[in-house]
Amino acid sequence: MSAALVALFAPYCQGAADPSALEQGLQLLARGHLQGQRPLRPEGQRPFELHWQPGIAPLESAQVQLSVQGQGLEQPARYSFELPTHRLLQWLMAWQAAGGAAGQPADLPEPFWQWLILGLDSQALQA
């Protein structure tokens, strides 16, 4: 991964604190897809797949598609959305930190699901 790309995204993704995590996140961003599992309460898990086409710069829009498998669904539920590439990268880095980088069934961070399902923007709430 180029040092210039790491430097470009670092201000948006706290990359100065952990440049290796940012570099790993950028490698995943370039891959364009991941598989994960969302834990269900009180028990169980729901598999999902995330595919994306990132923007070239942190503020450019990424095109994202989410497919969620579920019991009782003949076809996966599909969602398509756009968001700034740096926001997607932050969520991918959190997925990696939750075990996705080690090949474990990991979930995307809670702020992703709150943003997707409820329209809550944790960054706007903190401002």
Side-chain angles (χ1 to χ4, degrees), residues 4-15 22 26 29 53-63 82-90 123:
L5 198 54
V6 170
L8 182 65
F9 278 88
Y12 297 93
C13 301
Q14 298 140 358
L22 178 56
L26 286 165
L29 184 69
Q53 183 66 40
I56 296 170
L59 295 175
E60 285 188 33
S61 291
Q63 308 297 320
E82 293 182 8
L83 68 156
T85 298
H86 73 86
R87 174 76 58 86
L88 174 61
L89 179 56
Q90 290 171 325
Q123 291 182 344

Side-chain angles (χ1 to χ4, degrees), residues 11-87:
Y12 297 93
C13 301
Q14 298 140 358
D18 191 353
S20 66
L22 178 56
E23 189 169 328
Q24 290 174 355
L26 286 165
Q27 290 172 359
L28 177 57
L29 184 69
R31 195 169 77 192
H33 65 89
L34 65 79
Q35 293 180 327
Q37 292 192 0
R38 177 92 172 132
L40 301 176
R41 292 185 185 120
E43 60 185 34
Q45 298 190 9
R46 181 147 299 157
F48 65 85
E49 291 185 34
L50 196 67
H51 296 268
W52 59 87
Q53 183 66 40
I56 296 170
L59 295 175
E60 285 188 33
S61 291
Q63 308 297 320
V64 184
Q65 297 82 39
L66 172 68
S67 299
V68 180
Q69 305 286 330
Q71 289 182 326
L73 296 176
E74 290 182 24
Q75 298 290 325
R78 299 187 193 283
Y79 305 89
S80 295
F81 49 91
E82 293 182 8
L83 68 156
T85 298
H86 73 86
R87 174 76 58 86

